[in-house]
Amino acid sequence: GTQVFAAAHLELALQELRMLTATLTAALGFSPGVTRLPNGFAGTALSQHALTPVASRSAASSGLESVLAPLLEQQQQQQQQRRALRAPSAAMVATGGMGGGLFTQSNPEDRRVVPDEPGDRQIFKVVYVVLESQYQSSLSTACKRINAGQEKVAVECSGYILEELRDPANFEQFKKDVADANIFIGSLIFVQELADKVVEAVEPYRETMDAVCVFPSMPAVMRLNKIGSFTMASMGQSKNVMLDFMKKNKPSGTSFQDGMLKLVRTLPKVLKFLPGDKAKDARSFMMSLQYWLGGSPENIEALLLNLASTYVFESDLLTGEVVEPPTVIPDQGIWHPVAPRVFETNEEYIQWLRNEHAPTIGVDPNKAPVIGVVLQKSHINTKDDAHYVALIMEIEANGGLVLPIYTGSLDFSKPIEDYFFLNGRSVVDTTINLTGFALVGGPATQDHPKAIATLKKLNRPYLCAVPATFQTFEEWKDSELGLHPVQVALQVALPELDGAIEPIIFAGRDGVTGRSIPQSDRIETLAKRAIKWSNLSAKKNADKKVAITVFSFPPDKGNVGTAAYLNVFGSIFEALKTMKAEGYDLGAELPTDVEGLVDAVLHDKEASMASPTLNVAYSMSVAEYKELTPYAEDLEENWGPPPGQLNTDGQNLLVYGVRFGNVFIGVQPSFGYEGDPMRLLYAKSASPHHGFAAYYTYIEKVLEADAVLHFGTHGSLEFMPGKQVGMSGGCYPDRLIQSTPNLYYYAANNPSEATIAKRRSYANTISYLTPPAENAGLYKGLKEVGELISSYQGLRESRGASIVNSIVATARTCNLDKDVDLPSEDFDTAELTLDERDIIVGKVYSKIMEIESRLLPCGLHTVGVPPTAEEAIATLVNIASIDRPEDEIDGLPRILARSVGRDIEDIYRSANAGNLDDNLLSENIKEAIRAAVRASVERSTDAAGRVTEVNPMMASLGAVLGGGSPMLSALKKQGFDKVQDPDLEKLFGYLEFCLKQVVADNEMGALIEGLNGEYTLPGPGGDPIRNPLVLPTGKNMHALDPQAIPTIAACDCAKVMVDRLLERQVAEEGEYPESIAFVLWGTDNIKTYGESLAQVLWMVGVRPLPDSLGRVNQIEAIPLEELGRPRVDVVVTCSGVFRDLFINQMNLLDRAVKLVAELDEPLDQNFVRKHALEQAEEFGVSVRDAATRVFSNAAGSYSANVGLAIENGGWEGEQQLQEQFTSRKGFAFNADRPGILDDKADMFKSSLKKVDVTFQNLDSSEISLTDVSHYFDSDPTKVVGSLRTDGKKPSSFVADTTTANGQVRTLSETVRLDARTKLLNPKFYEGMLKSGYEGTREITKRLRNTMGWSATAGAVDNFVYEDANDVFIADEEMQKRLLETNPNAFRDMVTTFLEANGRGYWETSEENLDRLRQLYAEVDDKIEGL
């Protein structure tokens, strides 16, 4: 047997163990030969029963009653014992208060064992620390057996769960216990800061203890091992006596781990050949490991008595027999709690299941779904299997059959291959992994490609449920955070990389005994959902019911079908056509075009949202609603009695949408509080309203949908109140989705919010492509400036001055004087030298090229329509422009610059400074890249302008009339004649791979596969330019291992951006800022692998370091001499999504701030300490507690609601927005109390009032400042201005790393750039208008978001509103187009202009305002049908 968690966590530890055993003969001078087992360990002193590792479960079971009776009795005893032993401890809550903020409040005293009647027996003392609690019961039972059964010795035992050592009182008691101990045992100590505590406590007493036995843990803890003369003193160190052997026998992945397990299994045979006089202690350790992995109380009893008889007592106090080879259950098999034995072939098990078991439980084996269940063997060994038994019984009670497999290996793909297939076909309909770990290799050395290959072959939904290992059941239940962050990283994030879905908590540990407690309501949910997934593969398509859900955000008739960069109704129309072809029943009256589909759902596009004129698919009476919605009463606290005010006709609850046969297209209701100023101020989000609950009740209970498809990024379901991860039955996402399988189209560039949907609403996400990005181009006056500069290049010496005067005048009309320092209006540039004129022209050219080359997503994506060749070229141009050092691929800009003897960074730097020649060279490089990429793609473009088959790009080099490849020819035409094909070969080989990814399309295929109950291939989300592995889309999207960031590359990029920011601030203000406010986003940090996270660390002067497992969870302060500047204080506002995904990194940031706050450094060189000292005095707390700088929402809440207020007009003034920000974002993370987020609004405000600079990051072209409301929702610029006592407005900067030439701009510069490239750019708005209804809404959204920046930062120039008014309102033809495509969105646009003027953000003529007022009345009348 084995302990999966043990072997999985630390390859290094196991390497050392394997290496040690493999080299015993050589290193210790052993020679082969049969030897007698040494008395010392064999125990001439132990009974046969105590000594032999045994199977954890008897081979026979007399039936269900024999399993259940002791379980029920045991649970009753545990509950009584818990009540008797302790009063209920304060539960861990996420919002502060009781509990000390630790992840577990269990009491180590509950598991202390002392002999009742020691008499004159000699006592030995044992102390243990374990990560998982299933060993706790075996240890306690073993000690009680010793005390009851041994005549001359007794044992005292004190035990600790690793997490308990965070509590100072526990840690002090632990140190006292260790000081008196004879034997210390540790296992699975893999959390760095707790490993440090174990070493701190044990190391001083290591030499005086009789035995220290540490099983796989961090190297520093493994070095504590001491069994007689056996040690691991060189563990993990560079100068290792066995280093050469390790290099020659480098293990890899699970093959190594399996080898270790094989070694353990064959150990009794191996031991016979080792001489007793030299190998006793090494053999003692290896045999101890064997007993430990056996896990049962009998094994642990043998372990303790053997160690005591050999190392604690000088004389034999015990009697016994010689050791026999261990008896264990098979290392791999099929285990069912009521089966007569463990089965080693699926033929035998299936025969028993069908012929004996199924008839007994009344299940028809020919119709029942079969659920494959993967178990952890250590729970079977330790008899800690109640949670497994409960789930198996629940599935069977729901009419399913179970195929439960286990293995002692870490490669769970092997038993899946061996047992889930029969004659090459899958015998299971759904798989549930109950280990909580990645399928191959566990948490430390995963082999995701192998896991994915196995699961794809199986081709069934793959669920990975989670036992709450680190918390007691009560703590998890009472926690708003939910699942322990370390466990989220190990047992949720890593399995997601295999394609796992539905991380449902199905068990928690008992606080007293440590045994697993089945969570009955969670097990019921898990069983029902698994069976629902299974039914998808069994049902005929014609019989399946599917609920397609669209969103309306903000809630308005013109916004139905909202989704990021997605043509929702066009995509649904394609999906309906595909589903009809697949045999789904869509009724007789399917619309013939997209417009007809829109009309069917909206009923009347010109009707208002306030009246029930969306098509009503179902009217639900209040009585039916209450009967079918068990939690309806809980909603009354926030919304009053049903039906309420939303989604109702006053008597019934209304479900909006339309049915086509078995397919329902419904409109998800809104949050409900968007326009209510008081609700927007609440620090915690309200429950869903009755209409929202009725919608999902309809899907589950009335429609009885087999699956729901949420269409596009994103809705409200996954952001409803509840735990962050590890939903309970009281969390609203869980209550709402119930048992319906959830398929969810999510934008490929938004993996963070997609991950929230996966974890909180159990979504199987399907990624869709965002529109390809093209250069924004120039238009109107900007185009004229460009043409003038082209003229200047040829006439600079003859007519240069007059042309420059025209350039300056035209640039002024385009408002470029706000970005470029231009001569005054009446200045004649003839007075300047040629070089001075060149500098002016160069700066203007640099700015318009910045606008021209800014990447612009064009139009909206339609699911199932792959990109054209032109769209593929646009994407490949951007991919080709980036260096990829990890693949040793230089980007084309670097290759071209090198060919003319230049460095690309020098060209960028010089061009940014205004050098005209280098601006022209930079532009020529961009044009050459476009030409070369076009030439490469044209080789594969068909007559329809699409790429259906990709031809090799670098084939037949030099064969084209001897002139080289088409790409080379294109570059030579652009003047780059020194480039050769070998320079291009590696890059274009990569681009060929990328082109195949770009044009491959499985978005619609993945939907059909999901509805068929098949496995959806997983893949990373993010920016396809930075990471082309995001493509092709149609994957079950995942984020990344949260403990892997920031990467070294991210730290390097972060340093560059921080240094540029500080340089600019010093240049403009003359001194370093004392404090900078950062905003951290989940998606940005996934895409950039932690760049903004690393920026915060570099700002305070802290370096992140990996631990011995390569996980980034250690830090060190950079000396001031090396830093070369003061440490700048920070105030970090984390988005709710960042909090959910990266709470371990919040821990890292808080530790970093506290570390530097406690450094004894001059206050003018350490602003963190300076401010912490001031706040310590202000609040009467310690400096460490005053150094609180990492803030977010309360658990289960998201955003500051500023965006909601602005989108819906539901705000009275800026003061309200600022109060929303500080009240909703003022929950502090504290690394010393990591289990809670304290409401620290006062500390938040105190820190913000010291801020000199606010700072955000843009990381990809697809989402910029005005594309979404998130950026201004979390921007604290005006908040800081209102809090500062000197009335000074902070500087605001944005780092833009969307191109290879990263920039730091002011917020106003960035808003201007965004407006010029999107809202005011014909290329953008004409592209949007091609999408009709949705396109008009997208234009309006950007205007509304632009106003958001006026409200939160005052960052919008008047000309932006003025020019937008000229484009969309003053032009009557444009008015007509907008009104016809989406009258509601057009009315919102008119409203936004009037609101911007009314709130003082836009000064304009009375003529413009009169036109707007008249337009509003006309549009309103038209919408109301007057």
Side-chain angles (χ1 to χ4, degrees), residues 332-336 339-345 348-349 352 419:
Q332 172 180 296
I334 304 173
W335 173 90
H336 191 289
R341 58 191 171 86
V342 170
F343 296 92
E344 296 190 68
T345 70
E348 291 178 298
Y349 177 77
W352 171 81
Y419 300 134

Side-chain angles (χ1 to χ4, degrees), residues 620 625-626 628-646 653 669-671 679 682 685-697 720-721 729-733 735-736:
M620 185 179 292
Y625 166 68
K626 285 184 170 181
L628 298 180
T629 312
Y631 56 90
E633 193 173 318
D634 296 349
L635 310 185
E636 295 187 16
E637 180 185 355
N638 282 301
W639 302 101
Q645 305 297 314
L646 300 162
L653 289 147
S670 67
F671 276 115
R679 288 186 190 275
Y682 291 167
S685 300
S687 66
H689 57 81
H690 294 294
F692 202 102
Y695 179 82
Y696 283 96
T697 293
M720 284 294 170
C731 295
Y732 284 107
R735 282 176 155 183
L736 290 159

Side-chain angles (χ1 to χ4, degrees), residues 1124-1137:
R1125 59 165 174 82
R1127 302 188 194 278
V1128 179
D1129 200 0
V1130 292
V1131 183
V1132 184
T1133 307
C1134 302
S1135 74
V1137 175

